[in-house]
Amino acid sequence: MQVRLLTVGQKMPAWVEQGFQEYAKRFPNDFKLELVEVPAEKRGKNADIARITEKEGRSLLEQIQSGDWVIALDVKGKSFSTSQLAQQIEHWQQHYPNVVLLVGGPEGLSEQCLARANQKWSLSALTFPHPMVRIIVAESLYRAWSVTVNHPYHRE
């Protein structure tokens, strides 16, 4: 299975890249986790936020193939425990070889991205800094995957 994390924003601090890569490299060859960044639009004090969010959304949507299973990270989405996420991973592995996770910019995802999503996933009712989301998603996926293969990483 190929999982691509599509995010708005580039040039993250080194600790963000290192944190994401630490988990991405742990997956086996049959479960790839890849990060794809699209540029964030400039935001000035009189910026048209709706237009910016829509443009960033188009950039994300351009990265999606027709057969991809798309999951939008959205505060209104479904929350998963680790065991529930493990069940989701097993379902994805059986039915969707290409999974795409969408992370929007500071204002979230565009309506077009939310409409394209097959699922919506909420990491928390809390708002996280977008660089942290990359690491949280990578670790959460790794932990849930470890449950599916009885790897000792996850202990209940």
Side-chain angles (χ1 to χ4, degrees):
M1 180 170 82
Q2 171 78 29
V3 178
R4 287 184 302 135
L5 180 62
L6 302 183
T7 64
V8 173
Q10 298 172 307
K11 299 179 186 163
M12 294 293 127
W15 64 267
V16 174
E17 176 66 23
Q18 290 167 345
F20 177 84
Q21 289 303 325
E22 177 61 33
Y23 292 102
K25 72 181 182 186
R26 294 182 184 190
F27 287 101
N29 289 336
D30 64 347
F31 191 117
K32 296 277 189 202
L33 177 60
E34 175 190 7
L35 177 65
V36 178
E37 299 172 317
V38 300
E41 295 296 312
K42 294 200 184 300
R43 289 160 168 78
K45 67 179 179 178
N46 294 321
D48 183 345
I49 298 301
R51 184 191 61 75
I52 288 171
T53 303
E54 183 179 321
K55 187 171 182 185
E56 291 170 343
R58 281 194 306 271
S59 294
L60 289 170
L61 292 170
E62 288 172 0
Q63 300 295 319
I64 298 172
Q65 306 300 313
S66 62
D68 291 342
W69 184 257
V70 179
I71 302 157
L73 273 76
D74 183 62
V75 72
K76 297 175 187 167
K78 181 172 175 36
S79 295
F80 298 114
S81 67
T82 297
S83 62
Q84 289 170 328
L85 184 56
Q87 291 171 352
Q88 283 294 298
I89 286 174
E90 288 177 328
H91 178 75
W92 298 336
Q93 286 176 314
Q94 292 171 8
H95 300 284
Y96 310 109
N98 297 306
V99 173
V100 172
L101 303 170
L102 300 178
V103 178
E107 292 79 25
L109 290 166
S110 69
E111 290 300 319
Q112 294 85 349
C113 287
L114 294 172
R116 171 59 180 89
N118 302 103
Q119 272 182 275
K120 294 181 181 92
W121 175 18
S122 173
L123 293 178
S124 171
L126 298 171
T127 300
F128 295 120
H130 284 76
M132 290 286 296
V133 169
R134 299 166 187 223
I135 300 169
I136 293 168
V137 167
E139 193 283 337
S140 298
L141 288 172
Y142 181 74
R143 181 175 298 277
W145 169 84
S146 74
V147 169
T148 69
V149 295
N150 294 315
H151 187 282
Y153 181 78
H154 177 70
R155 293 167 179 67
E156 292 188 287

